[in-house]
Amino acid sequence: MAGYVHRAAVAADERWAFEEVIDLSRRGLEVLEMGPESPAGEARLLTTLGSGLRSTGQTEEGRLALERAMDLARRIGDGVAFARAADHSAIWEVVVGSLNEEPIALL
């Protein structure tokens, strides 16, 4: 079920329906809490949630969700999930002419 919710959240993200992304991602995380542990699914949903939150200006909450996603991905050894979360985390931090050490430290 959480996989379907995640796909719906991704589809909403592609339409720039960020409030829907946030709602669906949170629902998916609730579904995961009721079933067996799924760190990979949780990392995907947290990445989507974090991206949606940051897209609506909720940068701190989004950053925290993305950090949780990166921590989970690192714990389970999922390099792809880690890279996706790190990418969403760093993309909003680009400032021309300055060095942002936070994304560099993730490497």
Side-chain angles (χ1 to χ4, degrees):
M1 175 80 169
Y4 293 117
V5 176
H6 179 254
R7 285 193 288 279
V10 170
D13 187 59
E14 291 170 356
R15 295 188 320 272
W16 292 22
F18 301 122
E19 294 295 335
E20 188 177 344
V21 170
I22 294 166
D23 182 52
L24 288 166
S25 297
R26 286 183 172 149
R27 284 190 207 177
L29 290 166
E30 289 172 5
V31 168
L32 284 179
E33 288 178 5
M34 295 185 287
E37 187 174 328
S38 175
E42 187 176 355
R44 281 192 302 272
L45 283 162
L46 284 167
T47 298
T48 306
L49 173 62
S51 177
L53 288 165
R54 293 190 84 162
S55 294
T56 59
Q58 300 173 65
T59 55
E60 183 61 20
E61 191 177 351
R63 183 185 64 76
L64 293 172
L66 291 164
E67 283 182 4
R68 284 180 47 209
M70 287 184 282
D71 288 342
L72 272 171
R74 185 180 285 135
R75 253 188 320 164
I76 62 173
D78 188 337
V80 173
F82 179 86
R84 284 188 181 128
D87 181 46
H88 284 279
S89 177
I91 195 166
W92 299 101
E93 305 297 330
V94 175
V95 178
V96 176
S98 70
L99 180 63
N100 187 347
E101 295 187 21
E102 189 175 327
I104 294 169
L106 295 173
L107 301 174

